[in-house]
Amino acid sequence: MSDIIQLLPDHLANQIAAGEVIQRPASAVKELIENSIDSGADMIQLVVKDAGKELIQVIDNGNGMSPTDARMSFERHATSKIKKIDDLFAITTKGFRGEALASIAAVAQVSVKTKQKDETLGTLIEIESSTVVKQEAIACADGTNISIKNLFYSVPARRHFLKSNTTELRHILDEFTRIALAHPNIGFKFINNNVEQFHLTSGNLKQRILSLLGNNLDKNLIPVEEIADFVTISGFIGKPEAAFKTRGNQFFFVNNRFIKSPYLNHAVNNAFEGLIPKDSFPTYFLFLEIDPQRIDINVHPTKQEIKFDDERILYAYMQSAIKFSLNKFNIAPSIDFTLNTDIQNLEVLRTPINEERKQEVTQGYLYNKYSQGGQAHLIEKKNDRKNWQQQQDTFFPEIPSLGIAKNNEETIIFPSKVSPLFNNNEIGETKPQNVLQWQNYLITTMKSGVVFINQKRALERIIFEQLERNLAKKESVIQQLLFPVSVAFNPADALILSEVINELYAVGFAIHPGSDLHSFEITGVPSGMEGGQEQLILETIIDQIKMGNENIEDQRQTIVIQTMAKRLSTPKNLQQEQAVNLVDELFACAQPQYTPDGQLIFSVLNPENINQYL
């Protein structure tokens, strides 16, 4: 038998390595900017075209490379950072494996201009598919200027799996944001399709956070500082009101390297327990300084996962640091001993007592029971049952078909769980004549029994299907604003919003780009929408798109109308005719039983349920 094991050719091995290291344009951006940081640059410029598919260019004023180093940097596993195995556990720089440039050159057309500060001439190198096609001396600026064109041109299958330009650009923005946050002492520029998105000057961490994510965070940031022998924790956390529905503003950095750590995230969430809703996520920008020998960053190709020497003690320090900052700035759960304003506004408290009212109270059942010694525990069943029946007759005066038993000897107890009505054939057979409104619920009857309807969820289903019909017919009802409303978002959110302007117009929003970068002007809103909700609704839509699948074009229309329906469905006190019409509209829907996100809208209390408790 012939031998079948052989060494892979270098160009093929590089392409396989590129599959691990360079997953998308954002991966190349990360590797190139990190190389510039390692070179000692204090000003870095990123230029992107066509979401990085056409061009990724990084220009820095760092130390530059000699002709030999420039050529060697594209060889596999060529690095200046590691000379022995122990060096792996003392890493303080970004890149160290020597894989990035070799992987990029295997799947793109690469051009490098580099010059050291004390040299007269620099070096130009051009590489295509791991093959050097040109190397010569040239006149150029100090530092390194590297361009990547036509990423994955030699691997069409990989290019085919790239997402839309919006999605890929969002990933690039994410990587740029993480690196810029980690290094506020370095200036950055970001130019996308010849438009400058960022011009960040060097400064402190808070200035960098506000420059990247918006000035609306200014009043919501709390400093964190914990110094211990094992670790130093610093940075900022957001006040509870700065919590978001997504994890977008959550950043951990270990030795100025962005990481993802569910374990540490759990520690932060525990510290915020009781301060934010369960479906919200706290905002944080936390930096950990640890001895490099206590961590292992060589566990994942992207270097975003780290193994810690002792996670448990780190968890305790993290939770303690967050709680200390929250307490220091008087942000902690508190008991409100003031009287609720709703209680203060009750008529019984506002109306002065008179002799007639006083006599009525002293003759009442509760007054006699609690004013006579030894009587509070006694219950007069007959009078109680009689009073109960009288209350029921008053409570349901026009709904005799509710079928509430009037039995002097038995107790009526409503079950805590009722079964949903799955037999949709019965829906609409009995048109409701009377509908009772109780808090946010509507109660009526049909052939199957007593129907309990969640008014908000019913409105959500009705509005959702109405918006769906409007989208299908391309009809929208826009309520023009007397004064346009200006809103601003961070760059990533502004990018998402610009991509869904057409869908928003279809549901009633008239939005146009504003005079400032990342700002918009709203001139019209959906009919029936209350004023002042514009930015909140748009932020919710953006958050929902972030939580969805990366290929947002496939689902953004549904996300927009679903979010709009949820926001516009506000329960109100209804007149009898309005309540009947709402029930009619609900049961005329294609799917009356569930909201668009799958919540049950109504349940039926049928005779079988009642008989279980009789």
Side-chain angles (χ1 to χ4, degrees), residues 237-471:
I237 56 174
K239 293 180 181 178
E241 51 265 35
F244 286 84
K245 295 294 183 182
T246 62
R247 300 180 185 272
N249 289 344
Q250 295 187 332
F251 297 89
F252 280 123
F253 300 92
V254 173
N255 297 345
N256 286 338
R257 183 191 300 277
F258 173 78
I259 68 160
K260 296 178 180 178
S261 175
Y263 193 71
L264 293 180
N265 180 70
H266 190 270
V268 177
N269 287 338
N270 269 356
F272 274 89
E273 189 174 5
L275 296 174
I276 60 175
K278 291 185 178 180
D279 59 345
S280 297
F281 301 94
T283 295
Y284 56 78
F285 310 86
L286 296 172
F287 291 73
L288 290 79
E289 292 294 331
I290 305 177
D291 183 348
Q293 295 186 356
R294 287 182 169 270
I295 59 175
D296 183 3
I297 60 177
N298 194 34
V299 296
H300 194 274
T302 64
K303 298 185 284 288
Q304 288 187 359
E305 297 179 11
I306 289 181
K307 283 187 177 180
F308 296 98
D309 186 17
D310 191 338
E311 284 189 330
R312 290 176 298 177
I313 191 171
L314 194 61
Y315 185 102
Y317 276 128
M318 179 63 68
Q319 190 172 5
S320 173
I322 302 301
K323 286 187 174 182
F324 180 79
S325 292
L326 290 171
N327 291 331
K328 182 179 179 181
F329 289 89
N330 298 322
I331 301 173
S334 60
I335 301 174
D336 188 0
F337 291 98
T338 60
L339 192 61
N340 190 305
T341 55
D342 294 335
I343 297 176
Q344 291 175 324
N345 291 329
L346 288 175
E347 185 178 357
V348 68
L349 295 180
R350 292 188 289 107
T351 305
I353 191 166
N354 50 38
E355 286 298 325
E356 181 181 353
R357 176 61 180 156
K358 184 176 180 181
Q359 185 177 2
E360 181 182 342
V361 171
T362 56
Q363 292 177 354
Y365 166 73
L366 288 178
Y367 182 88
N368 293 329
K369 288 301 178 189
Y370 284 92
S371 61
Q372 299 175 16
Q375 297 295 311
H377 65 285
L378 298 178
I379 299 177
E380 296 182 8
K381 296 182 180 179
K382 292 184 179 180
N383 289 338
D384 290 348
R385 178 55 56 204
K386 183 178 180 180
N387 292 338
W388 168 249
Q389 291 174 5
Q390 291 173 353
Q391 292 175 21
Q392 294 308 309
D393 292 339
T394 304
F395 195 59
F396 300 104
E398 300 179 357
I399 311 182
S401 57
L402 281 171
I404 295 182
K406 299 180 179 180
N407 190 321
N408 291 335
E409 298 180 358
E410 299 293 333
T411 303
I412 306 295
I413 302 176
F414 285 93
S416 58
K417 294 183 180 180
V418 294
S419 60
L421 178 66
F422 291 101
N423 186 2
N424 291 332
N425 293 329
E426 297 180 5
I427 295 176
E429 289 183 2
T430 306
K431 180 181 176 70
Q433 300 298 320
N434 298 286
V435 178
L436 174 70
Q437 183 171 6
W438 175 64
Q439 295 185 2
N440 292 331
Y441 296 91
L442 301 177
I443 306 173
T444 187
T445 59
M446 62 171 51
K447 185 177 179 180
S448 298
V450 185
V451 185
F452 294 82
I453 302 172
N454 185 303
Q455 185 188 159
K456 176 175 173 57
R457 295 178 185 178
L459 286 167
E460 188 178 333
R461 166 52 67 179
I462 293 168
I463 295 172
F464 177 82
E465 294 199 5
Q466 182 181 348
L467 292 174
E468 266 192 328
R469 291 192 295 271
N470 291 345
L471 279 175

Side-chain angles (χ1 to χ4, degrees), residues 534-599:
E534 298 86 2
Q535 178 137 3
L536 177 61
I537 289 179
L538 294 178
E539 287 176 349
T540 306
I541 290 173
I542 291 170
D543 285 345
Q544 292 299 317
I545 291 175
K546 285 180 180 178
M547 294 171 66
N549 189 277
E550 288 184 348
N551 195 8
I552 63 173
E553 288 79 5
D554 294 341
Q555 61 171 341
R556 63 189 184 190
Q557 179 174 298
T558 301
I559 289 175
V560 167
I561 62 175
Q562 186 172 320
T563 305
M564 287 292 299
K566 190 177 288 290
R567 283 294 176 183
L568 294 178
S569 55
T570 305
K572 298 178 181 179
N573 290 324
L574 304 175
Q575 299 295 330
Q576 181 64 210
E577 184 178 355
Q578 292 174 316
V580 171
N581 290 337
L582 190 147
V583 175
D584 284 344
E585 286 187 62
L586 172 64
F587 291 130
C589 290
Q591 172 51 274
Q593 196 169 358
Y594 296 97
T595 62
D597 57 356
Q599 291 182 300

